[in-house]
Amino acid sequence: KNEVEQSPQNLTAQEGEFITINCSYSVGISALHWLQQHPGGGIVSLFMLSSGKKKHGRLIATINIQEKHSSLHITASHPRDSAVYICAVLGFGQGNLIFGKGTKLSVKP
Amino acid sequence: EAGVAQSPRYKIIEKRQSVAFWCNPISGHATLYWYQQILGQGPKLLIQFQNNGVVDDSQLPKDRFSAERLKGVDSTLKIQPAKLEDSAVYLCASSLAAGPTDTQYFGPGTRLTVL
């Protein structure tokens, strides 16, 4: 079993829809990252969380430490949001991230 | 601020050949990471440097992969000899330090195809 599980693996939405991507992990963590990867490979860090909730524009990330679960929400989705969204965790006392397999999002106009 | 630079962007080689990738991190970033991302998977850490020292190379296949960061700035990752299963995107990332609040900045990656 992977230490970081994401769902769904693939997601297709219509422009304007509210989107939720989930991440569950099995280890104690000091931080959780949400990353965005566009076709061509470039990865951009969206959020780093250790508790609570963060918001940036149309993106919202939440984390529940007790339940070992995080969600990434996109409001009013747009075709330019189409990308792979990756959840990664930094375990306690660890220096490197453990990555999920990613969720491929496709937003249709 | 310039981002993480990687070259080449694409490389096609035959199995048993050698290949090298180059990474120039963001200026001032002490920590440098090399990741391997196989199609459909999340990135997997190969090696982490703190300045010019190796912090973690536990998942680096040392019989064929090697990496160095001699002056604590740019880094090279080498595969010798390459196997078909090495086909992947090789990502370099850097961060100011390696703490839980340090954001990693990723380069565009090098897509390697081994035929």
Side-chain angles (χ1 to χ4, degrees):
Chain A
K1 188 181 189 301
N2 293 329
E3 290 170 295
V4 181
E5 296 275 1
Q6 287 186 235
S7 64
Q9 273 190 296
N10 293 283
L11 181 56
T12 300
Q14 285 299 125
E15 183 172 359
E17 284 185 358
F18 180 83
I19 287 161
T20 296
I21 299 170
N22 296 299
C23 175
S24 296
Y25 52 91
S26 57
V27 297
I29 67 167
S30 53
L32 181 143
H33 296 248
W34 280 104
L35 307 161
Q36 181 191 57
Q37 185 171 31
H38 279 283
I43 292 179
V44 174
S45 179
L46 297 174
F47 293 104
M48 182 164 47
L49 294 163
S50 54
S51 64
K53 176 180 172 179
K54 285 190 177 180
K55 185 177 189 292
H56 186 258
R58 295 181 294 106
L59 301 177
I60 303 166
T62 64
I63 188 168
N64 186 317
I65 296 294
Q66 287 74 29
E67 294 186 3
K68 292 188 166 64
H69 181 268
S70 175
S71 293
L72 176 69
H73 306 284
I74 305 176
T75 61
S77 60
H78 191 275
R80 65 175 175 266
D81 298 326
S82 298
V84 175
Y85 291 84
I86 302 172
C87 172
V89 301
L90 186 68
F92 281 131
Q94 300 298 310
N96 54 287
L97 294 170
I98 304 168
F99 291 81
K101 292 186 178 182
T103 295
K104 186 175 181 180
L105 171 65
S106 179
V107 182
K108 306 293 186 189
Chain B
E1 173 182 89
V4 177
Q6 287 189 249
S7 67
R9 291 295 313 276
Y10 304 92
K11 190 75 177 177
I12 301 174
I13 61 173
E14 294 188 348
K15 60 183 179 183
R16 290 187 289 272
Q17 284 189 318
S18 301
V19 64
F21 312 128
W22 176 81
C23 172
N24 191 11
I26 292 173
S27 177
H29 280 196
T31 309
L32 185 148
Y33 310 80
W34 281 103
Y35 293 94
Q36 179 193 59
Q37 186 177 23
I38 292 171
L39 187 66
Q41 305 280 327
K44 181 185 87 171
L45 179 71
L46 292 175
I47 189 166
Q48 177 185 343
F49 291 96
Q50 184 74 14
N51 297 307
N52 62 349
V54 175
V55 174
D56 184 351
D57 63 356
S58 56
Q59 297 192 88
L60 186 75
K62 297 182 187 64
D63 57 335
R64 297 184 301 106
F65 285 64
S66 64
E68 59 184 16
R69 193 185 184 200
L70 290 175
K71 296 183 180 178
V73 180
D74 55 355
S75 175
T76 54
L77 176 70
K78 295 178 182 176
I79 308 175
Q80 181 180 5
K83 292 185 175 181
L84 295 176
E85 59 261 35
D86 298 332
S87 294
V89 174
Y90 290 85
L91 295 161
C92 179
S94 72
S95 60
L96 270 174
T101 58
D102 289 296
T103 299
Q104 291 186 29
Y105 296 85
F106 287 81
T110 296
R111 183 175 297 275
L112 173 68
T113 302
V114 182
L115 302 175

